[in-house]
Amino acid sequence: MSQSHQPPAPSFHIEAPAPVPASDSPGLGVLAAVAAAVVAAGVYGWIISATDRIGWAAVGVGALVGLAAGKAGGRSPALPPVAALLALAAVFAGQLFGIVLIFADKLQVSVFDILGQGASPLLEVWKGAADPLTFLFLALGGYAAFQTSRKTAA
């Protein structure tokens, strides 16, 4: 009786690829945060015009800006404060854009007609309408951006 000798089955050992180290790219983080700030400001302005009031969406503006900065820029220590400043600007711009949309609707004119009047009248309306909640939501947007950027850095 002959025993057939079979060669051992080939052993395949496949290693998982090493994780890609997180790269810090603050320039890309700032660019992503600026893009997110522009989009978020527009959406926030639309929300303000639809509800005729400022609100908690400012926190979402900040979170979106911070998320973009953290995910795209990595762990650069400069990104959280930059994201906070950009979020403050985005919340402020969203508030101004909301005012523009409200006036355009009430006066039955185009947004460009309102914007064509310049920034001074728009800032005067904002100052007249500003109350403690206006500044609270500005601060909350900046804080949300700072914390989200710091915690989501890849």
Side-chain angles (χ1 to χ4, degrees):
M1 191 174 215
S2 125
Q3 291 184 346
S4 65
H5 179 56
Q6 295 181 4
S11 171
F12 293 101
H13 181 67
I14 301 174
E15 291 185 27
V20 177
S23 64
D24 291 338
S25 178
L28 185 59
V30 169
L31 185 63
V34 167
V38 169
V39 170
V43 171
Y44 187 47
W46 179 82
I47 290 170
I48 290 171
S49 73
T51 62
D52 206 22
R53 56 193 304 178
I54 63 170
W56 290 100
V59 175
V61 169
L64 181 64
V65 172
L67 181 69
K71 288 294 183 183
R75 297 188 183 274
S76 171
L79 284 177
V82 169
L85 289 173
L86 287 169
L88 286 170
V91 171
F92 179 66
Q95 290 174 353
L96 292 177
F97 187 55
I99 292 169
V100 167
L101 292 173
I102 290 168
F103 273 101
D105 183 52
K106 291 186 190 244
L107 299 174
Q108 297 297 306
V109 297
S110 79
V111 168
F112 298 108
D113 290 335
I114 302 293
L115 292 173
Q117 301 299 314
S120 272
L122 188 57
L123 290 173
E124 290 302 317
V125 170
W126 181 85
K127 285 182 202 175
D131 62 9
L133 282 179
T134 303
F135 298 102
L136 174 66
F137 287 121
L138 279 166
L140 288 174
Y143 179 77
F146 185 91
Q147 291 299 332
T148 304
S149 175
R150 192 174 62 78
K151 291 180 181 178
T152 61

